[in-house]
Amino acid sequence: MPKSQIPVLKKNRPKGNTSRKIVIILLLLFIVLLAVLFFRSSMSRISAIEITGNVYTATSELLEKSGLKEGEQFFGTSTAEVIERLKTIKAISTVTVDKQFPGIIHIKVQEYATVAYELGSDGTLKAILASGTSLTVPATIGVAVEKPILTQWKADDPLKAKLSQTLAKIPNELTTDISEIIPNPTPSFPDQIRMYTKTQFEVITTVSLYRIKWSI
């Protein structure tokens, strides 16, 4: 007599795992939707760019060099990239960039110190920075009377940059008496300079000796 076959009962699959997967999928879709809406909204874009600390460098030049524009993505450019771009400007010594959500970017620059002045060929007053860079002094900025005046120097004279670096190392109280510095090259000493003081003294030295004296 054949054995009767008892039908196998199907095990009920737990519904917990399926429900959890659905919740996770819906949550991911919701996050993606929020991200799309955020990056298409004005909150994700640059609303204001504030630049401070610049004296001789025009704000428009700094803004163009930074690569930032209002209306662009706030997270589109990294802080390190902006700093690297701005430091290619010869007048800029340090840069800090602070991003404040939503949409505001603060840029603070520090230019190299002013070590001297000179009159340009067109009669404009130029500031000589410690980096050797020569920049026009805006009419709205006062002139530091304790800084010497460089006269008769060529714009592309490499000795001017070396002299600027040396002047940056000298304390202000010691440069106050120097009124004028003139190049005075000779066949034996091509880097010779002539300095005049406010106390009516004339000093002849060389840029190399001047650099050695103030580096010790």
Side-chain angles (χ1 to χ4, degrees):
M1 183 176 180
K3 296 181 179 180
S4 60
Q5 294 181 350
I6 302 175
V8 178
L9 297 176
K10 293 183 178 180
K11 295 182 179 180
N12 294 326
R13 295 182 179 179
K15 297 182 179 181
N17 290 339
T18 303
S19 300
R20 191 178 296 112
K21 289 180 180 179
I22 294 174
V23 171
I24 292 174
I25 292 172
L26 291 175
L27 183 61
L28 290 175
L29 290 174
F30 181 70
I31 293 173
V32 171
L33 179 61
L34 283 180
V36 171
L37 292 175
F38 172 76
F39 283 107
R40 295 188 64 179
S41 70
S42 59
M43 291 183 63
S44 69
R45 301 186 181 278
I46 300 174
S47 58
I49 304 170
E50 300 176 358
I51 300 177
T52 59
N54 53 312
V55 178
Y56 301 112
T57 313
T59 300
S60 57
E61 180 184 353
L62 293 170
L63 184 60
E64 182 180 358
K65 198 69 175 180
S66 71
L68 299 173
K69 292 181 180 179
E70 292 185 8
E72 291 187 344
Q73 286 294 331
F74 182 76
F75 300 102
T77 304
S78 71
T79 297
E81 288 177 348
V82 175
I83 293 175
E84 186 177 351
R85 291 170 185 169
L86 291 175
K87 291 197 72 174
T88 60
I89 300 176
K90 293 182 179 180
I92 302 301
S93 174
T94 60
V95 182
T96 57
V97 178
D98 180 26
K99 288 186 172 183
Q100 294 184 357
F101 186 81
I104 301 175
I105 299 179
H106 296 277
I107 299 175
K108 184 177 181 180
V109 301
Q110 181 176 351
E111 297 169 334
Y112 285 97
T114 302
V115 297
Y117 296 96
E118 70 174 344
L119 287 175
S121 57
D122 56 354
T124 58
L125 183 64
K126 294 182 178 294
I128 309 298
L129 307 187
S131 60
T133 303
S134 178
L135 297 173
T136 301
V137 178
T140 55
I141 298 177
V143 176
V145 295
E146 74 274 7
K147 302 299 180 184
I149 301 292
L150 304 187
T151 56
Q152 302 178 25
W153 288 81
K154 295 180 180 179
D156 57 350
D157 193 334
L159 291 177
K160 187 163 63 175
K162 294 180 181 179
L163 177 61
S164 301
Q165 294 169 4
T166 301
L167 290 172
K169 299 176 182 178
I170 304 175
N172 287 335
E173 58 269 20
L174 297 180
T175 60
T176 300
D177 193 41
I178 303 174
S179 60
E180 187 178 10
I181 303 176
I182 301 173
N184 189 44
T186 65
S188 301
F189 301 100
D191 64 339
Q192 184 171 283
I193 57 175
R194 187 188 302 269
M195 296 189 300
Y196 295 95
T197 68
K198 296 175 184 177
T199 51
Q200 306 301 314
F201 283 99
E202 179 181 324
V203 180
I204 296 177
T205 184
T206 62
V207 174
S208 56
L209 290 176
Y210 207 44
R211 286 168 59 85
I212 292 173
K213 177 181 178 182
W214 292 107
S215 63
I216 295 175

